[in-house]
Amino acid sequence: MDILLHVGAHRTGTTSFQRYLADHADPIAAQGTCVWGPRQTRGGLFAGLFPASGILASGPNLVNGRVSLLMGKARDLGADQLLISDENMIGSARHSVRSGRLFPAIGERMARFGASFGGRVTQVVLTIRQTDHWWASALAYTVGRGHPVPDADQIDRIAHDQRGWRDVITDLACALPEAKISIARYEDYAGRPDALFTQLTGRAAPAAHGYWLNRRPDEASLRAQMGPAAAGLRSDGLGNWHPFSDAQAAALRETYADDLFWLTAGADGLANLTETSTAPRAGTSWPDGDRRKGHHHDSGQRKLAQSG
């Protein structure tokens, strides 16, 4: 059985993709693809995979046993592919914000998940996003969940930290040396869960319409929630919180440009960058509200703004 992992990252359309998988569970299963989403992965399946202080953990061996048992049941039902989608496998957006670094624990975490599958992971897909946009979305998401607004020093540390997607991908490849690592750009796949499904599985995807879920809270929502604490929030002119100065955003974009150059040059043989058309299919349109919510159309090219 092929084992396919969709590991996020957070803030790159993961909720939309998981909703798409759930909405089309029957036709996907009919093709021989078994799907485990957050309901399965966070429901005790991997309990004991990570040490938990003060908690009697079941241990990795029991995790391996549970995984093997459920995989066997999937095979008995005719599945020859297992697709697991859970962005928490690589760590949380909250941890990245607190540490000021992009997914610093991805290596250790994915090595443990890989071991739970007996080192037989076939493919991993990671979606990346322009770094200043990713951080803006992650910061708004965590603040919207009640976490404090980072101070100026923390924002500056984030902006000038040297860890980019190249480092994240390198850690991932080292943790799962047996797997093919595919990198998808959020700018290419946003709102296109069907294209991501085909990229992962190599199989025809049920048509997708209007999947654009779990957008980050906009500036007005944050101000209403935070009250006087929102006095220092700045706008990007499109209704979103813009946490970075022009110089800080430029530093983050420079890191992202270096990451993309490395990927297009072959990523040292560690990963491959996938591509898909960013145009909507004939007879369809961008998800409701895209134009209004920050999608620019210039000379026929779509540019995603900092929404989502």
Side-chain angles (χ1 to χ4, degrees):
M1 174 180 283
D2 289 335
I3 301 171
L4 317 172
L5 305 183
H6 169 244
V7 297
H10 290 266
R11 316 312 303 156
T12 63
T14 54
T15 302
S16 296
F17 184 61
Q18 290 153 7
R19 175 70 64 82
Y20 167 82
L21 295 175
D23 287 350
H24 299 88
D26 290 341
I28 288 173
Q31 297 188 71
T33 301
C34 174
V35 175
W36 294 352
R39 179 177 296 180
Q40 290 78 23
T41 57
R42 303 177 195 177
L45 177 60
F46 292 105
L49 194 61
F50 300 94
S53 177
I55 299 176
L56 181 61
S58 57
N61 289 336
L62 287 180
V63 174
N64 297 355
R66 287 195 295 267
V67 169
S68 295
L69 178 63
L70 289 182
M71 287 180 62
K73 290 182 177 179
R75 279 192 296 266
D76 292 343
L77 293 173
D80 59 6
Q81 284 185 341
L82 174 61
L83 168 57
I84 303 102
S85 177
D86 187 349
E87 62 274 29
N88 279 357
M89 284 191 283
I90 65 173
S92 66
R94 178 180 58 196
H95 185 205
S96 290
V97 169
R98 284 180 174 176
S99 66
R101 312 204 79 195
L102 276 174
F103 301 104
I106 185 174
E108 178 186 354
R109 293 183 63 85
M110 291 311 301
R112 290 176 181 265
F113 278 110
S116 73
F117 292 102
R120 295 182 289 112
V121 175
T122 308
Q123 181 180 190
V124 182
V125 167
L126 172 74
T127 305
I128 65 174
R129 184 174 184 177
Q130 184 171 311
T131 317
D132 57 323
H133 290 185
W134 187 88
W135 277 112
S137 182
L139 287 164
Y141 176 78
T142 54
V143 169
R145 291 292 182 100
H147 296 277
V149 178
D151 60 25
D153 288 341
Q154 185 176 358
I155 291 293
D156 195 60
R157 285 195 300 271
I158 289 172
H160 294 98
D161 186 77
Q162 295 301 303
R163 181 175 173 84
W165 292 115
R166 174 176 179 170
D167 304 282
V168 172
I169 294 162
T170 299
D171 289 350
L172 177 61
C174 291
L176 298 171
E178 76 281 4
K180 174 186 175 183
I181 309 295
S182 298
I183 307 302
R185 297 196 324 145
Y186 170 81
E187 293 82 1
D188 291 337
Y189 286 88
R192 294 294 308 277
D194 49 350
L196 187 59
F197 176 83
T198 296
Q199 175 60 45
L200 261 163
T201 65
R203 294 178 173 172
H209 303 283
Y211 286 92
W212 206 267
L213 307 175
N214 199 28
R215 298 186 185 188
R216 63 167 168 161
D218 59 19
E219 182 192 11
S221 299
L222 290 175
R223 289 188 181 278
Q225 174 183 323
M226 296 168 60
L233 295 185
R234 293 176 295 165
S235 173
D236 64 356
L238 296 170
N240 298 312
W241 173 36
H242 184 61
F244 301 109
S245 68
D246 290 345
Q248 290 169 337
L252 289 166
R253 287 194 297 269
E254 182 177 0
T255 299
Y256 184 65
D258 290 342
D259 294 338
L260 287 183
F261 181 83
W262 175 73
L263 281 165
T264 56
D268 297 328
L270 300 178
N272 69 288
L273 180 65
T274 68
E275 295 183 0
T276 187
S277 170
T278 58
R281 294 177 303 279
T284 66
S285 60
W286 301 120
D288 291 344
D290 283 355
R291 291 177 183 268
R292 179 173 52 83
K293 289 288 186 179
H295 288 260
H296 300 270
H297 300 261
D298 181 19
S299 302
Q301 299 296 315
R302 177 174 65 124
K303 298 179 180 179
L304 289 176
Q306 296 179 31
S307 60

